[in-house]
Amino acid sequence: SHPMISHAWMKRNLLFFLLFPLLSLVQSSFVLSAPIIIILNLLGFFALNMVCHGEIVATRPQKEYLTEFYIWIALGGFLGGVFNGVIVPHIFNGMYEYFVAFCLCVFFRPSLPNKFSSKFVYLTPFFILAILITNYFLAPSFTLSQLKWIDLSIQLGAILLIFLSQQRTWILTINIAILLCFAQSVINFKQKDLIWQERNFFGVAKIYKNDQFNLHVLMNGKTIHGVQSLNRSAEYNRRTSYYDPIQSVANLIISHDKPLRIGIAGLGAGSLSCQFRNQDNITFFEIDPKIVYIAKNPRLFNYLNECPPKGGIIIGDARLSISAAVAHSFDVIIIDVYSSDAIPMHLFTLEAMQSYLDKLAPDGVLIFNISSRYFDFNPIFLGMANKLNLIALNYQSTSHYKNLQLASQWVLLTKDVKLSQKLQIMSQWKKLPVQKSVLWTDDFSNILTILKIF
């Protein structure tokens, strides 16, 4: 029997499939949706794997050498796992291993007949560099709408030059590496703004300094996790980034003299520490020691110096740490936990919600930051509210860049009817709209049920 897709056909058309992930990786001007990014990269990944596995099958030895053959294959898989899981976090401060593997697969792909022998091929790396550098220096002279199409056309031109060099494997690999380096680390050629970067098991954290506005910005992946104006007071900074909606809740529940007990999962830059009063008892739960170092370093952010949390910072998984607390020991629990756009799904299950409620006062509130480019969390919280007889409110804030405020979306869950009514009357909190609900449990959760398709 013959395979549906022949190995010879895959070898000939490999670069066509690689066009898709290349476009996805270098396209910085457009914000692609998650499904499109996934599909484009899977197409290239599928083609690379088909060619690599096809070569393994084609070079399979006689049966008396098969044991040794499969041992070498297993050893290769083991070494790849060690490289990605153990070595890479120590030698790279960014997520570069995907691009390294991409270039290595191209370099070791089967050679093709040389049909294009012009000396022009050897000049293509210089042409690609010239195109990309020109793209950067011309960018300020165009409007944003013009720049999108100019940027796309220039990048397509660079990819076309890559395809012209496909018969020269080492030239092709250099060209692709140049394009990927441009996409990753030279995308704006403004690395001078980057003042701190570190990677560990939990991801890559970067801190940028904006000299024009005297800001420090904490980013994890492509997501902002904290902003601070270095020449403004804590009173001003408390409303920056995503946290303006918290103020409307804080202003209502701190209307009495009794100190509040607040648990916050997710430290970030420490912004939430300045959302409440000095007498309130705030405890942070943070799993990443790197983030704790950033928030405590006054040269980077000084929220924790201006508003030290009385309950301290507990390092560990937020769900386990909150579960270890005494029953009804919090008036407010805020869940603000992301690693870039990745979701810690175990914090959004029915069992997790029941655990939070056990530690919450009867009239307490649960507040969740659900801001995401790729996922719609509303169906999950609607399902939770229906299951646990809770009132669910939603708040969508808009960007106010002059005040350093970013667009965000929050959900509040409570059993306190009066508080929910006051929030809807006195602020922009609204009842969660009725829609299809989703219920995640520890036994089953499907991320595709909340994926934003468009």
Side-chain angles (χ1 to χ4, degrees), residues 74-309:
L75 180 61
F78 168 75
L79 293 176
V82 170
F83 177 75
N84 286 320
V86 180
I87 299 175
V88 160
H90 292 89
I91 63 174
F92 292 156
N93 63 357
M95 297 291 185
Y96 307 129
E97 58 268 31
Y98 177 56
F99 309 105
V100 172
F102 195 99
C103 290
L104 285 175
C105 283
V106 171
F107 182 76
F108 289 111
R109 73 189 180 104
S111 59
L112 297 174
N114 188 8
K115 299 177 181 178
F116 192 74
S117 58
S118 171
K119 293 182 180 179
F120 171 78
V121 169
Y122 299 99
L123 298 176
T124 52
F126 301 101
F127 278 103
I128 290 172
L129 272 176
I131 287 173
L132 297 178
I133 292 172
T134 302
N135 181 29
Y136 165 71
F137 283 109
L138 289 180
S141 61
F142 295 99
T143 65
L144 183 61
S145 58
Q146 291 172 331
L147 186 61
K148 285 183 178 181
W149 298 106
I150 292 169
D151 192 41
L152 177 60
S153 61
I154 289 175
Q155 291 170 356
L156 284 172
I159 291 175
L160 177 61
L161 287 175
I162 287 174
F163 275 72
L164 291 176
S165 61
Q166 63 176 300
Q167 267 74 37
R168 301 292 187 191
T169 299
W170 63 278
I171 293 290
L172 174 64
T173 306
I174 291 173
N175 290 341
I176 289 178
I178 291 171
L179 199 61
L180 294 181
C181 285
F182 176 81
Q184 274 296 291
S185 59
V186 205
I187 206 163
N188 293 315
F189 283 88
K190 291 185 178 178
Q191 292 302 308
K192 62 184 180 185
D193 296 339
L194 181 65
I195 61 173
W196 194 90
Q197 178 172 333
E198 185 175 318
R199 172 181 175 172
N200 65 6
F201 175 81
F202 299 102
V204 180
K206 300 179 182 179
I207 299 173
Y208 292 88
K209 183 177 181 181
N210 185 309
D211 291 323
Q212 182 181 357
F213 299 102
N214 201 21
L215 299 177
H216 278 183
V217 181
L218 170 62
M219 296 195 69
N220 192 315
K222 296 182 179 180
T223 302
I224 295 176
H225 282 248
V227 177
Q228 183 165 24
S229 176
L230 303 179
N231 55 359
R232 298 294 188 99
S233 64
E235 178 66 27
Y236 175 84
N237 278 305
R238 70 171 56 190
R239 289 182 177 272
T240 61
S241 190
Y242 305 105
Y243 303 113
D244 186 50
I246 298 295
Q247 281 293 292
S248 58
V249 181
N251 291 337
L252 281 177
I253 60 180
I254 64 177
S255 57
H256 49 79
D257 295 330
K258 179 184 175 183
L260 289 173
R261 302 161 299 167
I262 304 155
I264 303 174
L267 176 60
S271 314
L272 283 172
S273 190
C274 293
Q275 297 287 331
F276 300 92
R277 304 167 298 181
N278 291 333
Q279 63 263 41
D280 294 330
N281 192 321
I282 298 175
T283 302
F284 280 101
F285 303 95
E286 175 58 54
I287 197 171
D288 189 349
K290 171 181 79 263
I291 297 298
V292 176
Y293 169 80
I294 291 171
K296 284 185 172 181
N297 189 333
R299 293 183 293 106
L300 302 175
F301 296 95
N302 57 14
Y303 287 113
L304 297 186
N305 288 336
E306 294 185 7
C307 314

Side-chain angles (χ1 to χ4, degrees), residues 32-43:
L32 298 176
S33 65
I36 293 175
I37 292 173
I38 292 170
I39 291 170
L40 291 178
N41 280 276
L42 283 179
L43 281 170

Side-chain angles (χ1 to χ4, degrees), residues 357-368:
L357 291 173
D358 289 342
K359 310 305 175 184
L360 201 63
D363 58 348
V365 294
L366 284 170
I367 307 175
F368 295 81

Side-chain angles (χ1 to χ4, degrees), residues 402-433:
K402 289 184 179 179
N403 299 326
L404 307 182
Q405 294 172 5
L406 304 173
S408 64
Q409 188 174 9
W410 295 76
V411 164
L412 181 148
L413 299 177
T414 185
K415 294 180 180 178
D416 191 332
V417 177
K418 291 183 178 179
L419 175 64
S420 68
Q421 291 173 343
K422 287 181 180 179
L423 284 171
Q424 293 177 75
I425 294 170
M426 301 173 64
S427 66
Q428 299 179 43
W429 288 92
K430 299 178 181 178
K431 276 202 169 184
L432 203 61

